[in-house]
Amino acid sequence: MEFHPWIVSAPVDFGAVRTEFGLASEYPSEALSEARGAADAFAGSRADLRDIPFVTIDPPGALDLDQALYLERTPTGFRLQYAIADVGAVIAPAGALAKESLTRGQTYYLPDGAVPLHPTVLSEGSASLLPGQDRPAALWTIDCDDRAEIRHCSVQRALVRSHARLDYAGVQADADAGRLHPAIAALPEFGRLRIESGLSRGAIGLRLPAQTVVRDGKGPARDGDSGDGEQRWQLVVEPRMAAEDWNEQVSLLTGICAARIMLDGAGGRRIGLLRTMPAPAKSALDTMRRTAAALGVEWPEGESAGRMLAGLDTGTPAALALMSEATGLLRGATYTVLDGETPEVLRHSGIGAPYAHVTAPLRRLADRYATEICLAHCAGTPVPDWVRDGLAAAAESMRRCDALAGRLDRACIDLTEATVLAQRLGTAFDAVVVREANGSRPAEVFVTTPPVVAKCVGGPPEGWRVRVRLIEADPTTRTVTFAFPAD
């Protein structure tokens, strides 16, 4: 087989993955009709806050804009005003749209297009916080001290208008140049303080390379291609920008506030929907400590895993290995319903605090329910019956669709890896061993070009830079296997 070392893309059929996972394609006509005719159920009773110069920060090209923020420095700290698309106000609780969204659970993102939770006429149109448009929102107001710790939080229904649509790369460039939009001028300082707050709480953040499948921008056909004009896909590793971390902290803070409101309850009775995760198992922490010692990484006694990981240089093999090992600390995440009782686990150990999803209602079912609970608690009104009666079903839908989303994302990446590498059997690659073999589980390596994470036979040591040889790349089974040593 003739080898073209510069070919790192290939035609990939993601339709087969959609079929395998049973993803819905078209929206039922009745639900689509409801979305087209959706109207704000609280029009006329909202606080008019269109004068606040909100901005959105999203990936380029995104149209399902859930969040808009305005952050200001105050004499005593910070005030965050965070507008979230008010999906609960435009979906009839007992309608066809609500029923279909319960089945879907969330938006599924595939390389060749999304399978949306809601019809795009709603999620990318009338409910999206697009710039220059008046929109109904659940507006969070969060006052923090000068260390960005929460002093007071509340949420109300409001009418808002986004003044600018920003993306992460642009925000990062503006921050580096000292020319941030006034609405987010305080974001770098605020974000860094919130990150430190999380580490103080024992939060665990993983900064593994973000493996992504993207269209090959060089065109559908080139020398060495099949010549059939099919769209080609390639694997890339997207660098994590500080601007993404800062923006993430705004969302995490809001989720922490939402959980606090739910746990405080109304009239002494807790009603809510939390995102929870148990504390890491001692065995997982012990394994992490042994791995750190073997790799020569200093981990002082008494220092949290999250702080140790935060101090690593992610460009080193040791960091990649430890970050991969740390995934074992973040297991058992689920959705926990509150309705008077006190479940055993109330915290999310990865965040280091009780937490609830409330900031992405256009893309995730749970947020609509949790937001309605917080709105009711803050207004001093009863939680709507449709919310309370539907909490168990919403939680079950989220558990199911979260698991599906994880498998779906992995399937798309595995398929692309196997398809791109199928023409390179027998080729040797430079790699980093991110996880050593353990019992029947083979070792795992990270190949940098093209960026692939796959199993490796031969027992290479964890954290080593090695040379491996590709011995299997099967698009049918979505399997890739390397062997060590390469010779």
Side-chain angles (χ1 to χ4, degrees), residues 88-415:
V90 296
I91 294 182
L97 186 52
K99 181 179 178 181
E100 181 67 14
S101 64
L102 180 64
T103 299
R104 295 188 177 217
Q106 65 177 260
T107 296
Y108 299 101
Y109 293 96
L110 289 85
D112 61 348
V115 179
L117 171 60
H118 304 108
T120 55
V121 67
L122 189 72
S123 61
E124 297 182 359
S126 62
S128 178
L129 303 183
L130 298 166
Q133 303 296 318
D134 295 345
R135 290 290 187 258
L139 179 63
W140 289 86
T141 300
I142 304 173
D143 289 315
C144 297
D145 63 21
D146 57 8
R147 294 177 299 115
E149 297 294 348
I150 303 165
R151 295 175 58 194
H152 178 266
C153 58
S154 63
V155 61
Q156 63 176 323
R157 286 196 150 98
L159 187 66
V160 303
R161 173 183 282 247
S162 171
H163 287 230
R165 177 180 170 185
L166 311 178
D167 61 48
Y168 294 115
V171 170
Q172 188 64 61
D174 287 348
D176 294 342
R179 56 169 187 260
L180 278 169
H181 190 287
I184 54 171
L187 185 59
E189 179 188 10
F190 185 79
R192 287 190 287 266
L193 287 169
R194 289 303 304 172
I195 290 170
E196 175 57 34
S197 175
L199 294 175
S200 298
R201 298 190 307 268
I204 300 172
L206 302 184
R207 293 171 293 139
L208 283 165
Q211 206 183 4
T212 308
V213 178
V214 300
R215 295 180 191 273
D216 185 344
K218 296 179 181 178
R222 303 191 307 272
D223 291 343
D225 291 3
S226 62
D228 57 9
E230 288 187 86
Q231 175 64 56
R232 301 177 68 94
W233 301 87
Q234 61 183 329
L235 293 150
V236 299
V237 171
E238 296 185 340
R240 178 82 176 183
M241 290 174 277
E244 294 176 85
D245 295 329
W246 306 331
N247 194 55
E248 179 184 59
Q249 290 302 316
V250 173
S251 182
L252 292 176
L253 171 65
T254 307
I256 290 170
C257 288
R260 180 177 294 190
I261 289 170
M262 292 176 186
L263 289 170
D264 286 347
R269 185 176 181 84
R270 291 175 168 178
I271 300 173
L273 181 59
L274 302 181
R275 180 66 165 159
T276 58
M277 180 185 289
K282 182 179 181 301
S283 58
L285 286 167
D286 290 344
T287 298
M288 277 279 294
R289 283 203 170 271
R290 288 194 297 270
T291 301
L295 295 172
V297 174
E298 184 178 353
W299 186 355
E301 193 66 35
E303 182 178 75
S304 69
R307 195 170 288 280
M308 180 275 290
L309 292 167
L312 297 177
D313 178 357
T314 55
T316 65
L320 287 175
L322 277 170
M323 291 282 181
S324 295
E325 194 71 55
T327 57
L329 305 180
L330 302 174
R331 290 180 176 166
T334 190
Y335 291 86
T336 298
V337 172
L338 303 176
D339 197 354
E341 72 291 341
T342 302
E344 182 178 348
V345 177
L346 290 174
R347 290 168 56 89
H348 189 296
S349 63
I351 295 170
Y355 176 74
H357 282 321
V358 290
T359 61
L362 292 175
R363 295 168 283 168
R364 191 171 49 208
L365 177 73
D367 303 52
R368 174 157 55 97
Y369 285 80
T371 297
E372 290 295 332
I373 294 168
C374 293
L375 284 165
H377 284 345
C378 288
T381 58
V383 174
D385 289 342
W386 69 264
V387 175
R388 203 161 165 183
D389 294 343
L391 281 178
E396 182 54 35
S397 176
M398 289 305 307
R399 295 184 196 108
R400 172 185 50 79
C401 72
D402 270 2
L404 174 59
R407 295 196 307 272
L408 178 65
D409 185 58
R410 190 66 251 171
C412 290
I413 291 175
D414 288 348
L415 176 60

